Amino acid sequence: MNILVIGNGFDLAHDLPTKYTDFLCFIKVIMEIFDKFSSENSEIDWGEINSQIRKQIWKDMGNVRDNLYSKEAMWKDLIWNNFWIDYFQQNSMYQKENWIDFESEISKVI
């Protein structure tokens, strides 16, 4: 039997957008899409979001049957008024870090 052990960093070594900053950027874009959608302003600031994720979001926005907007209530329930997302979005230092010690930061806040 062959076993392949994948260590921490495998995802980043393969250029997958799995850093904390990628997640925070994704959340920011999703929030902006719904803000702009409700105000009928179509200009979205994509920031540093990964191009593959951007393509997938565009695809989900255009899918007539099961699009991003049909899941708006779910997205808003998960993202809006989420203390931790607000906390990490408001601290600009986390927007630039490649690694964030979420556990220590949460412990500090608590």
Side-chain angles (χ1 to χ4, degrees), residues 2 20 22 24 38 42 63 99:
N2 293 328
Y20 291 122
D22 295 325
L24 293 172
S38 62
S42 61
N63 184 342
W99 182 81

Side-chain angles (χ1 to χ4, degrees), residues 3 8 21 33 35-36 58-59 70-71 82 106:
I3 298 175
N8 191 18
T21 53
I33 286 170
D35 283 344
K36 302 287 179 160
W58 266 114
K59 181 180 170 189
S70 69
K71 298 178 179 132
N82 182 312
I106 289 169

Side-chain angles (χ1 to χ4, degrees), residues 79-110:
I79 298 173
W80 270 258
N81 298 319
N82 182 312
F83 175 82
W84 296 112
I85 289 175
D86 290 343
Y87 178 80
F88 287 106
Q89 288 282 8
Q90 289 175 13
N91 287 307
S92 61
M93 70 180 265
Y94 299 118
Q95 306 298 319
K96 297 176 179 86
E97 297 289 325
N98 286 335
W99 182 81
I100 301 169
D101 188 354
F102 272 113
E103 294 84 4
S104 291
E105 196 62 32
I106 289 169
S107 177
K108 217 171 28 174
V109 172
I110 290 176

Side-chain angles (χ1 to χ4, degrees), residues 14-58:
H14 289 83
D15 296 322
L16 297 174
T18 55
K19 295 181 274 184
Y20 291 122
T21 53
D22 295 325
F23 172 72
L24 293 172
C25 184
F26 171 77
I27 294 298
K28 181 179 176 187
V29 167
I30 294 297
M31 292 172 84
E32 185 168 339
I33 286 170
F34 286 118
D35 283 344
K36 302 287 179 160
F37 177 69
S38 62
S39 68
E40 298 183 14
N41 182 351
S42 61
E43 290 296 318
I44 303 297
D45 177 10
W46 293 95
E48 306 267 331
I49 199 161
N50 177 279
S51 63
Q52 295 292 49
I53 293 175
R54 181 179 178 169
K55 287 177 192 173
Q56 185 62 48
I57 291 171
W58 266 114

